[in-house]
Amino acid sequence: MSLTGLVALVTADPTIASAVEAARAPAAAPLDITAPKPFQPFAVAAIAAPRELGGADRPVLAVTATGREAEELTLALRSLLGDDDAVAYYPAWETLPHERLSPRSDTVGRRLAVLRRLVHPTKEAPAPQVVVAPVRSVLQPQVRGLADLEPVSLREGDQCDLDELVERLVAAAYTRVDLVERRGEFAVRGGIVDVFPPTEEHPVRVELFGDEVDEIRSFRVADQRSLGRAEHGLYAPPCRELLLTDQVRERAAKLAQEHPELAELFEKLAHGHAVEGMESLAPVLVDEMELLLDLMPAGTHVLAGAEPGARPRGDQQGVPRGELGGGGRGRQGADRPR
């Protein structure tokens, strides 16, 4: 349900109006706002909303303490701004960066989809006006260039070589199986390719007639029965944030010799075999890492909320922050150039 009318009412308040004016300035000064926690989505919406609604029309990175708070804030903002595409949720890994556990493929897919929209927006996937992220996903370095990874995309009528499609899915860290049951898997039967993208609720079945995509349909995992045409075709982002490229494999082979105690692990990577928790080794396997902040548009306002008397964890790490409400203190209008 759209609640955009509330944004115009909130921005009419003198205090919020002054905050909006500060956000509109080319060089916004830090600003503290203290308010009840339920006011958080209204404060973010006031900065992000278009000027016809009284907003500042500025991109926003809204930082929350937990993933649950981020999900709740995302739902509230989509109602206030009246556009689901205007707000994107950037989840954190379920694992800690140093653990020998890999994040779930659906989490990776959602993260990569947001990064792709930020750096390479399209008409079908525009850049979000607001990115909502728990503080862990803001602080955690990620492999540089993830936003440039192209998803495997097909529509009915496209030309597609079967062998090339299989190679692209394998390169995107999809696992080939006999029967697709989980996200991140694909199966090939003759001219039919079943793929379960990490961002989709149901897997899709691509039927080829020669080298032409004849039909793309969704189907149920339980009985493998068709659910109807997939209107948007196949859109399959990578399932891992560390892909085993030639450069990564070469570096893994070198590290296997330098660190005998980890030789078994590095040798598997060098031979192109994905290993559980290999993402924890990303800093030594790639040249550069980056933060979500580095990919936000120029002029982005970073806003973070805090409970009364609490100091946001992001502030302890030197992350620029702004106040979402919550009765805490923060800074609004911390510009972050790309």
Side-chain angles (χ1 to χ4, degrees):
M1 181 176 64
S2 177
L3 300 175
T4 54
L6 293 179
V7 178
L9 293 176
V10 169
T11 54
D13 178 84
T15 302
I16 297 302
S18 63
V20 170
E21 283 301 317
R24 290 175 177 174
L31 180 66
D32 289 344
I33 303 174
T34 301
K37 188 172 183 178
F39 190 74
Q40 291 182 6
F42 294 99
V44 178
I47 304 300
R51 299 205 173 197
E52 53 264 29
L53 293 178
D57 197 17
R58 298 291 294 271
V60 174
L61 172 60
V63 185
T64 65
T66 66
R68 174 173 290 185
E69 289 182 12
E71 292 175 350
E72 293 174 351
L73 181 59
T74 299
L75 293 175
L77 288 171
R78 285 173 176 169
S79 294
L80 290 172
L81 296 177
D83 182 5
D84 287 353
D85 288 337
V87 186
Y89 169 49
Y90 190 74
W93 288 2
E94 307 83 15
T95 62
L96 295 175
H98 61 275
E99 288 183 313
R100 292 290 179 85
L101 295 172
S102 295
R104 292 190 335 223
S105 60
D106 58 327
T107 299
V108 172
R110 293 164 70 186
R111 286 164 57 93
L112 296 185
V114 174
L115 298 180
R116 185 77 182 175
R117 290 175 58 192
L118 285 171
V119 179
H120 302 286
T122 63
K123 184 178 180 180
E124 294 78 16
Q129 183 73 358
V130 181
V131 175
V132 184
V135 67
R136 276 184 54 198
S137 64
V138 175
L139 295 177
Q140 181 180 339
Q142 57 199 27
V143 176
R144 188 176 185 86
L146 290 179
D148 299 323
L149 296 178
E150 294 189 8
V152 179
S153 180
L154 288 175
R155 288 184 177 273
E156 293 180 0
D158 287 353
Q159 294 296 310
C160 174
D161 179 75
L162 178 59
D163 293 336
E164 182 182 347
L165 175 59
V166 171
E167 290 177 3
R168 292 179 63 193
L169 289 171
V170 171
Y174 284 78
T175 303
R176 185 167 182 172
V177 295
D178 294 329
L179 187 68
V180 169
E181 295 179 324
R182 299 178 180 179
R183 290 180 174 86
E185 295 180 342
F186 79 98
V188 180
R189 299 187 308 280
I192 298 176
V193 182
D194 292 345
V195 186
F196 202 159
T199 53
E200 297 294 334
E201 183 178 356
H202 299 285
V204 297
R205 178 164 292 149
V206 180
E207 297 187 19
L208 300 175
F209 184 76
D211 286 341
E212 182 178 343
V213 178
D214 184 51
E215 196 173 46
I216 302 179
R217 303 175 69 87
S218 301
F219 67 92
R220 282 191 296 262
V221 169
D223 56 14
Q224 302 288 304
R225 287 182 175 272
S226 174
L227 294 171
R229 292 182 63 246
E231 298 295 333
H232 302 291
L234 171 66
Y235 184 88
C239 296
R240 289 184 180 271
E241 294 187 22
L242 177 63
L243 300 181
L244 297 178
T245 62
D246 292 340
Q247 182 180 6
V248 170
R249 293 170 62 178
E250 290 175 4
R251 186 163 296 182
K254 181 178 179 181
L255 289 170
Q257 298 177 354
E258 297 176 356
H259 301 277
E261 69 279 8
L262 296 174
E264 182 179 358
L265 174 62
F266 282 124
E267 285 175 359
K268 289 181 180 179
L269 298 178
H271 288 88
H273 301 300
V275 178
E276 182 71 13
M278 67 182 192
E279 290 80 4
S280 63
L281 301 172
V284 298
L285 291 173
V286 300
D287 291 329
E288 295 181 80
M289 305 288 284
E290 63 186 359
L291 296 172
L292 173 62
L293 286 163
D294 297 321
L295 301 178
M296 295 299 296
T300 293
H301 283 235
V302 181
L303 293 92
E307 295 296 333
R311 190 182 184 196
R313 284 178 285 174
D315 185 51
Q316 298 172 12
Q317 301 295 330
V319 174
R321 56 188 177 88
E323 181 56 35
L324 291 178
R329 292 177 59 82
R331 296 186 302 166
Q332 176 191 15
D335 281 357
R336 176 76 183 190
R338 179 177 291 181

